[in-house]
Amino acid sequence: MTKLRVESFTLSLDGFAAGPDQSLENPLGIGGTALHGWAFPTRTFQTQLFGKEGGETGIDDDFAARGFHNVGAWIMGRNMFGPVRGPWPDESWHGWWGDNPVYHKPVFVLTHHPRAPLVMEGGTTFHFITEGIHVALERAREAANSQDVRIGGGASTIRQYLQARLIDELHLAISPVLLGAGERLFEGIHLPDLGYSCIQHVASQRATHIVLSRT
């Protein structure tokens, strides 16, 4: 069976996955962009996210690159897709990523409010799932065609899948940044009781990379 993975999910030193007050101006919350200082310079992010050549190689790039390896579909929460709350006022919001999003795969968005699938350039189609995390995972696994499914975030979505013991592996990057407030990834989560343990930890100049696996 395909694995369900979390990749390149960054936490601050004080445990926050995003800053407070997400908005159009601050999609990662106030101060949240600073979390990803390890990722933006990598060759993987420069090519995958920005369509540029070059970029840094090394430990950070190795972890960034593994996040795209053997991924056939994505799952994300409504908040990661955009700042719109409640019923969709219209279908004008197409995500943060422009006409050609970075995913290039089917993406399944958890939401309480129905919306028609959104077909974008480059192979990305956003499917809006109102039936919960298990249906989203079932749909994503079908679409992944024997490849793995990656959870993009945010923290609330990852917590739901952790509590259900559905995530097989998590790669977390601990960034040397203090946010002071925001959303905590492991709020109310007891990882040992859920069967998770650390199987790898590697430090670079910009982050400490942690891999957790479920036994």
Side-chain angles (χ1 to χ4, degrees):
M1 181 178 290
T2 61
K3 286 185 176 181
L4 181 62
R5 296 156 44 197
V6 174
E7 298 284 352
S8 299
F9 197 82
T10 306
L11 300 177
S12 67
L13 285 175
D14 46 354
F16 295 105
D21 302 322
Q22 182 196 42
S23 65
L24 286 173
E25 294 75 25
N26 295 289
L28 300 176
I30 296 173
T33 301
L35 290 173
H36 304 282
W38 71 271
F40 291 140
T42 64
R43 180 171 60 187
T44 297
F45 270 58
Q46 287 296 309
T47 56
Q48 293 278 353
L49 271 69
F50 307 121
K52 298 179 180 179
E53 296 182 1
E56 297 179 4
T57 59
I59 293 172
D60 292 332
D61 185 58
D62 290 344
F63 276 96
R66 62 167 265 163
F68 292 92
H69 176 68
N70 198 44
V71 171
W74 294 64
I75 295 173
M76 69 173 60
R78 167 87 179 260
N79 289 359
M80 185 170 176
F81 179 73
V84 181
R85 303 292 183 262
W88 302 97
D90 52 48
E91 297 189 356
S92 60
W93 179 259
H94 289 178
W96 305 102
W97 308 278
D99 294 332
N100 189 355
V102 300
Y103 302 101
H104 309 299
K105 307 286 183 181
V107 180
F108 296 85
V109 182
L110 294 163
T111 177
H112 296 295
H113 303 281
R115 179 173 170 174
L118 175 61
V119 180
M120 307 292 286
E121 296 176 12
T124 300
T125 298
F126 293 103
H127 302 271
F128 301 89
I129 307 299
T130 59
E131 298 92 342
I133 64 171
H134 292 87
V135 171
L137 180 55
E138 181 181 348
R139 293 276 308 276
R141 280 184 164 146
E142 290 175 359
N145 194 24
S146 299
Q147 292 186 297
D148 292 341
V149 176
R150 176 173 170 177
I151 299 181
S156 175
T157 297
I158 294 173
R159 281 198 301 271
Q160 291 179 66
Y161 279 101
L162 280 173
Q163 288 168 333
R165 304 190 185 199
L166 292 171
I167 294 175
D168 297 294
E169 195 168 274
L170 300 88
H171 161 229
L172 306 173
I174 312 301
S175 177
V177 171
L178 295 171
L179 292 182
E183 187 171 12
R184 295 187 183 276
L185 175 60
F186 295 127
E187 191 73 37
I189 299 290
H190 195 299
L191 288 171
D193 281 355
L194 294 175
Y196 292 93
S197 60
C198 180
I199 62 170
Q200 186 180 10
H201 56 93
V202 181
S204 72
Q205 291 186 332
R206 294 192 178 99
T208 298
H209 298 276
I210 307 293
V211 179
L212 304 178
S213 180
R214 182 170 58 87
T215 57

